[in-house]
Amino acid sequence: MSYPQAPGFVAASDTSQAAAESIDAPGLRAKALRILRAAPDGLTSDELETITGWPHQTASARLRELVIAGDAWDSPDRRPTRHGRQATVRRAVRH
């Protein structure tokens, strides 16, 4: 299985591959989608991090995978992160 169905990792890096294999990406992605669908104003990666307690890499990767899979989209909206930087607001695709 390849990205985005399975988490990506840096080729030729055993530690990156081990980290990718150690997480339940499908389960985390499903949880991220449930949270995103419940957020009428969408979410930034930073907001998903705050809600879940996930590290930035986990939250941003799961949202990116949802976009690639067609379950979410990058809206034109931006909101500030906890650090004051502007971030893309992702929204769930409504079926």
Side-chain angles (χ1 to χ4, degrees), residues 2-89:
S2 63
Y3 186 80
Q5 290 76 27
F9 58 89
V10 176
S13 171
D14 60 334
T15 56
S16 178
Q17 184 173 356
E21 292 171 353
S22 74
I23 66 167
D24 174 19
L28 294 173
R29 194 167 36 250
K31 182 174 182 176
L33 183 56
R34 284 192 303 274
I35 293 168
L36 187 60
R37 284 182 173 153
D41 295 325
L43 292 172
T44 65
S45 294
D46 186 64
E47 292 165 343
L48 183 61
E49 292 167 40
T50 300
I51 292 166
T52 61
W54 296 343
H56 171 74
Q57 295 86 343
T58 300
S60 63
R62 301 303 76 84
L63 286 176
R64 181 70 185 134
E65 291 165 0
L66 291 173
V67 169
I68 291 170
D71 293 318
W73 58 285
D74 292 344
S75 80
D77 300 330
R78 304 290 185 263
R79 281 201 290 266
T81 67
R82 290 170 284 174
H83 306 288
R85 295 182 184 95
Q86 292 297 304
T88 301
V89 175

